[in-house]
């Protein structure tokens, strides 16, 4: 069994190695003690924790895993360091961790004994170069914008004359006094105030509660939510996700009135309308009563003048139409009068008595005409009859002679063109057995029987020999 080491022996991983002084006579080698793995790891862990209890380490997050606690690696260009941040500490972060994010981590160095893993136990994190609240603001802004909560298409118009206006803000701040003062000065309007916290860890939930309470109030058709100005830490409640989603889910239009004219909050982007100050929110929500009265009076005057102008124009138009109608009616009456006169005149001429008198006069005129020229006309007719008889007696003989001359001429032409006249000059017409006419000797063959027609008579011959021309 090995002997116990001397009580003055300690393990210091970062202490320099002891220098052994040479002795004149070498002593007997002491008995070497072996340590268990657990003892070595625990002693190394105590040494690390004793020297690196509270340190800040800056690096870039990678290999982030969040099953329950946050496990990640801090790295730079030279090395890597494993890190863990437990659930309670991670829940206090104002921003969301992600790979590639450069941070400053505060914690202690130790060794996880079960795995012998050297790592940093993180108690707090903050972005390197950018504040935690500002980073949280940018991350939430990107997230809600990707979901479409900032789209102009979903913005609702503010009511022109709200019946009741709900106000969600601190009951003791200057914001509520400014809103009430400006709103009541502009017009007699009913206000419903739901006091809530506007700063601190409980403020987001309290603002959400106030919004839900105002929506349940009957007649509230517009809500103003906001506070006075302040730093980014003071305005953190209006940059929270729960407040942004509560404003987005509100069933009445919402004006975000946070008192900072330069910067914007998340509630400004989500709300239907953004006001730079609470006073401006009251001006946007409530129109000036006197201006409305003047506007109504001006509109009434314009309406009255417009009505009078329309009446005058209508009267002029009606008078013009009446004049046109009168002229048109006069022309129609004149035309009808002329038609009536013409028709009356025609009817007068068509009366039986008038027609009878006219016919009698015409009959007497015809009788006189027939009686006076009858002998002259009879003599003239007799002369015409004699001339016609003479022409008729001469015409048949002349016509017959002309026809005979034409017949003789035509007969002479036909006789001259007759084939018989050609045959009388010594020619013949050759026909085959089938009646075909031969005009070329090459069309016949030796031994063919032919019929030769002469001027007088027919010869039956047979071909002995063919002599082409």
């Amino acid at each position: 069994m090995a002997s116990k080491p001397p009580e003055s022996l300690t393990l210091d991983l970062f202490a320099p190695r002891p220098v052994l002084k040479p002795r004149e006579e070498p002593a007997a080698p002491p008995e070497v003690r072996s340590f268990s793995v657990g003892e070595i790891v625990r002693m190394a862990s105590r040494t690390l924790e004793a020297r690196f209890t509270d340190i800040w380490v800056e690096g870039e997050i990678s290999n982030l895993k969040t099953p329950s606690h946050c496990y990640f690696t801090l790295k730079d260009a030279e090395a890597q360091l494993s890190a863990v941040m437990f659930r309670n500490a991670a829940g206090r972060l104002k921003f969301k961790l992600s790979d590639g994010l450069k941070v400053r981590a505060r914690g202690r160095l130790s060794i996880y004994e079960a795995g012998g893993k050297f790592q940093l136990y993180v108690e707090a994190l903050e972005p390197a170069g950018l504040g935690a609240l500002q980073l949280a603001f940018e991350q939430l802004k990107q997230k809600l914008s990707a979901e479409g909560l900032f789209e102009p298409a979903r913005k609702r118009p503010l009511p022109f004359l709200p019946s009741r206006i709900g106000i969600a803000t601190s009951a003791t701040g200057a914001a509520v006094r400014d809103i009430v003062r400006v709103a009541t000065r502009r017009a007699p309007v009913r206000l419903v105030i739901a006091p809530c916290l506007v700063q601190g860890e409980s403020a987001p939930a309290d603002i959400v509660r106030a919004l839900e309470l105002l929506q349940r109030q009957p007649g509230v058709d517009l809500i103003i939510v906001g506070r006075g100005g302040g730093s980014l830490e003071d305005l953190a409640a209006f940059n929270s996700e729960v407040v942004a989603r509560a404003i987005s889910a509100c069933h009445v239009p919402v004006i975000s009135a946070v008192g900072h004219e330069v910067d914007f909050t998340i509630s400004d982007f989500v709300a239907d309308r953004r006001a730079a100050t609470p006073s401006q929110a009251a001006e946007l929500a409530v129109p000036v009563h006197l201006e409305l009265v003047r506007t109504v009076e001006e509109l009434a005057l314009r309406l009255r003048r417009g009505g009078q102008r329309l009446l005058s124009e209508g009267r002029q138009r009606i008078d013009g139409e009446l004049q046109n109608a009168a002229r048109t009616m006069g022309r129609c009456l004149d035309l009808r009068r002329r038609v009536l006169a013409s028709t009356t005149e025609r009817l007068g001429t068509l009366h039986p008595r008038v027609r009878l008198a006219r016919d009698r006069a015409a009959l007497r005129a015809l009788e006189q005409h027939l009686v006076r020229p009858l002998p002259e006309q009879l003599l003239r007719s007799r002369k015409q009859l004699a001339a016609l008889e003479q022409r008729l007696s001469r015409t048949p003989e002349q016509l017959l002679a002309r026809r005979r001359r034409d017949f003789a001429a035509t007969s002479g032409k036909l006789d001259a063109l007759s084939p018989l006249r050609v045959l009388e000059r010594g020619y013949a017409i050759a026909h085959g057995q089938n009646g075909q006419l031969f005009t070329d000797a090459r069309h016949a063959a030796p031994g063919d029987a032919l019929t030769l027609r002469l001027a007088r008579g027919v010869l039956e011959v047979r071909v002995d020999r063919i002599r082409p021309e």
Side-chain angles (χ1 to χ4, degrees), residues 19 53 98 242 271 301:
V19 180
T53 303
S98 62
V242 291
L301 180 60

Side-chain angles (χ1 to χ4, degrees), residues 176-212:
V176 67
R177 294 194 298 270
D178 293 341
I179 295 174
V180 173
R181 174 176 52 81
V182 174
T184 54
R185 184 186 62 201
R186 293 171 68 86
V189 64
R190 301 180 64 183
L191 304 176
V192 181
I193 301 175
C196 61
L197 298 174
V198 293
Q199 186 173 339
E201 294 184 359
S202 303
D206 208 30
I207 294 173
V208 172
R209 178 196 58 78
L211 291 174
E212 295 174 350

Side-chain angles (χ1 to χ4, degrees), residues 4-69:
K4 295 182 180 181
E7 295 181 359
S8 60
L9 179 63
T10 58
L11 179 61
D12 190 347
L13 297 179
F14 299 93
R17 294 183 179 180
V19 180
L20 298 177
K21 297 180 180 181
R23 296 181 180 179
E24 296 180 357
E25 295 181 1
E31 186 174 353
V32 179
R33 178 192 172 185
S34 61
F35 296 93
S36 66
V37 174
E39 289 175 337
I40 291 294
V41 172
R42 278 192 294 272
M43 286 187 290
S45 178
R46 293 193 195 101
T47 303
L48 285 175
E49 292 176 356
R51 298 192 58 180
F52 301 98
T53 303
D54 187 7
I55 60 173
W56 287 89
V57 181
E58 183 173 335
E60 181 181 317
I61 293 178
S62 64
N63 301 323
L64 177 64
K65 299 177 182 178
T66 57
S68 58
H69 309 299

Side-chain angles (χ1 to χ4, degrees), residues 28-29 47 62 83 97 126 168 188 205 242 253 272 295 301 342 351 381 405 441 451:
T47 303
S62 64
L97 298 181
E126 64 180 32
V242 291
D272 298 287
T295 302
L301 180 60
S342 176
H351 195 274
S381 297
R405 289 194 298 271
T451 300

Side-chain angles (χ1 to χ4, degrees), residues 143-161:
K143 177 181 178 181
L144 299 182
S145 178
E147 295 180 12
L149 268 65
F150 300 162
E151 291 297 328
R154 60 170 299 277
K155 306 290 185 179
R156 295 162 293 187
L158 303 182
F160 178 64
L161 291 174

Side-chain angles (χ1 to χ4, degrees), residues 396-440:
E397 295 177 357
Q398 295 174 354
L399 182 63
L400 181 60
R402 187 168 60 251
R403 291 288 186 269
R404 285 174 178 172
R405 289 194 298 271
D406 294 341
F407 178 75
T410 303
S411 298
K413 292 179 181 180
L414 291 175
D415 188 38
L417 297 175
S418 175
L420 298 178
R421 290 290 185 184
V422 178
L423 296 179
E424 288 178 355
R425 292 198 298 270
Y427 294 98
I429 299 175
H431 292 274
Q433 294 181 352
N434 297 329
Q436 72 269 25
L437 181 66
F438 281 88
T439 60
D440 192 344

